[in-house]
Amino acid sequence: MKKLFSTLLAGVMAASLVGCSSSGSASKTAGSAAGSADSKSEMKVAMITDYGDITDQSFNQTTHDTAKKWCEANGVDFTYKKPATNADQDRETSMEEAIEEGYNVILMPGFAFAKPIADVAPEHTDVKFVALDVSQYDLDKAAGGKFDGPNVFSAVYQEELAGYMAGYAAVKLGYKKLGYLGGMAVPAVQRYGYGYAQGADAAAKEMNLSDVTMSYVYGGAFNGSPDITAKMDTWISAGTELIFAAGGSIYTSAAEAEKNAGKGKIIGVDVDQAAIIDGAYGKGLTVTSAMKGLAPTVELLLNAIKDGKWSDYAGKIENLGIVDGDDPSKNFVQLPDSTQWADGKFTKDDYKKLVKGMSDGSVKVDSDVSKEPKDWTFDALKLTDEGSMG
């Protein structure tokens, strides 16, 4: 499967890295009436949002914009639905509503879809469910046992690798007073943070630094708020130079605090957020972004369904990370070209060397986030765990 993803991804990545509910439920018959979305029948795509919305400038928006653009280019009907609340039942209602309307490919970004998938997918065997960031563990827990979904595909990502790249780059570029502002303490956000800390520690160790510190907190939300901004004000006043804001639009609190203070930098998440953040808060604010291939994954699966290759993916959970040790742009986790490279500190060649090491195993990154940040161990980094605000 890794080889298949690597081959297909090359073409997709070259093309892009972009960047109301009703009551009741449909029956299995209604699911069948929607038709199987393959090369022999009409394909209709619906995206359901998770905790955020399609203007979050991150996870939901990337999924929405990529799917909408693809559908327009391929003459495929597209819609999106935002559940009335963040409750599982409302997600299920939105999914059922889309199926009743004849949509036979359902896109779902976010771990929160585990229970809705476990409940809805088995009832609509002719509908194809494509999830992002929903793990086998999430599905098994939601189903109360082993979940086997022959009409479900989910891509999960090795966020710890992208986080490591960002943390390593940060210290190599000269930042010593770091911060990690996560959204909710869910696995993907935790992996980003743990990788970030490991990367910073590795760079500090290589450089024989003993004064690299990191303040670490979860905001308890995927958006900014006055309370989170106040927390960021405190960090910046205490000397924090660079904040990795990982969680939807939570970066707005870090950016607002830095704009008010007239100092500080940001690391974006999921997609290249430089244009978004710098455009709103000041040019040069974004040092880099820890990215994962949301857009390529969406395009990959939609193309596969259109071309009648759904069987290559159906029933699988794929953990996507590095598929090419020589060309970082082909990987599902990476740093963007907009990274503020610096000669003698951290260059594109340095980045390629780091990715090569991750690919061949000489650079090892732990993904076990079962421990609290306060219990992580490092050689050089000093981390202060401030828990969760939510």
Side-chain angles (χ1 to χ4, degrees):
M1 194 66 171
K2 178 178 177 182
K3 182 177 180 181
L4 174 63
F5 263 87
S6 179
T7 301
L8 294 179
L9 179 64
V12 174
M13 292 293 284
S16 78
L17 203 132
V18 267
C20 54
S21 62
S22 64
S23 61
S25 64
S27 66
K28 184 174 181 179
T29 301
S32 298
S36 60
D38 57 29
S39 59
K40 296 181 180 179
S41 62
E42 184 179 4
M43 180 178 174
K44 297 181 69 176
V45 180
M47 176 237 173
I48 317 297
T49 63
D50 71 342
Y51 283 94
D53 57 40
I54 62 167
T55 60
D56 67 359
Q57 299 178 326
S58 183
F59 210 89
N60 284 280
Q61 185 168 354
T62 299
T63 305
H64 170 272
D65 290 357
T66 303
K68 183 173 185 290
K69 181 179 179 181
W70 185 94
C71 288
E72 289 174 347
N74 288 275
V76 172
D77 285 351
F78 173 77
T79 192
Y80 87 92
K81 295 183 182 294
K82 181 176 180 179
T85 72
N86 286 328
D88 287 334
Q89 183 57 54
D90 285 319
R91 292 188 185 87
E92 293 181 18
T93 298
S94 292
M95 293 162 69
E96 298 277 13
E97 181 181 83
I99 294 168
E100 286 178 347
E101 293 172 2
Y103 289 90
N104 48 25
V105 177
I106 309 298
L107 294 177
M108 302 155 292
F111 76 99
F113 280 98
K115 185 67 164 62
I117 290 171
D119 289 346
V120 177
E123 297 300 316
H124 302 281
T125 57
D126 288 339
V127 176
K128 295 167 173 58
F129 296 86
V130 178
L132 305 174
D133 266 0
V134 182
S135 70
Q136 186 68 55
Y137 171 82
D138 295 330
L139 291 167
D140 291 349
K141 183 178 179 181
K146 180 67 175 178
F147 177 82
D148 181 16
N151 57 336
V152 176
F153 171 82
S154 181
V156 293
Y157 301 89
Q158 296 173 344
E159 291 92 355
E160 69 278 3
L161 300 184
Y164 188 104
M165 295 173 190
Y168 186 89
V171 175
K172 286 291 186 176
L173 288 169
Y175 298 97
K176 297 182 179 181
K177 307 300 180 184
L178 310 177
Y180 181 73
L181 170 61
M184 298 176 69
V186 299
V189 175
Q190 292 169 315
R191 288 193 294 269
Y192 268 132
Y194 190 22
Y196 180 55
Q198 290 176 75
D201 180 58
K205 183 179 179 181
E206 284 182 17
M207 299 168 72
N208 294 314
L209 299 176
S210 60
D211 56 348
V212 177
T213 63
M214 181 179 294
S215 297
Y216 195 107
V217 74
Y218 296 111
F222 287 117
N223 54 270
S225 72
D227 286 345
I228 298 173
T229 302
K231 168 68 77 173
M232 297 300 98
D233 286 336
T234 301
W235 279 9
I236 294 167
S237 296
T240 299
E241 304 166 318
L242 177 63
I243 298 169
F244 180 12
S249 59
I250 200 169
Y251 72 82
T252 57
S253 277
E256 188 66 32
E258 290 176 343
K259 182 178 180 180
N260 292 339
K263 59 182 179 180
K265 299 284 186 178
I266 281 183
I267 293 174
V269 75
D270 289 339
V271 297
D272 183 359
Q273 292 188 320
I276 298 166
I277 297 175
D278 291 7
Y281 295 96
K283 186 176 180 180
L285 185 64
T286 311
V287 171
T288 189
S289 294
M291 305 194 306
K292 56 188 179 185
L294 303 173
T297 306
V298 171
E299 291 188 0
L300 185 68
L301 269 295
L302 293 180
N303 278 320
I305 294 169
K306 177 178 72 71
D307 295 339
K309 297 179 180 179
W310 169 247
S311 61
D312 290 342
Y313 303 91
K316 295 180 172 67
I317 310 291
E318 286 296 322
N319 189 16
L320 305 178
I322 292 174
V323 295
D324 193 313
D326 298 314
D327 186 350
S329 70
K330 293 181 179 179
N331 295 322
F332 284 94
V333 288
Q334 57 179 270
L335 301 182
D337 287 339
S338 65
T339 298
Q340 295 178 11
W341 318 105
D343 289 341
K345 292 184 177 181
F346 190 69
T347 66
K348 287 187 178 181
D349 285 340
D350 294 326
Y351 170 49
K352 289 181 179 179
K353 182 179 178 181
L354 174 63
V355 172
K356 183 68 173 178
M358 290 180 164
S359 179
D360 66 25
S362 59
V363 174
K364 300 185 183 303
V365 186
D366 188 7
S367 63
D368 181 6
V369 291
S370 59
K371 295 180 180 179
E372 297 293 325
K374 63 183 176 60
D375 296 321
W376 297 338
T377 57
F378 304 103
D379 292 316
L381 176 70
K382 298 178 178 64
L383 185 145
T384 301
D385 181 8
E386 299 187 16
S388 177
M389 297 178 65

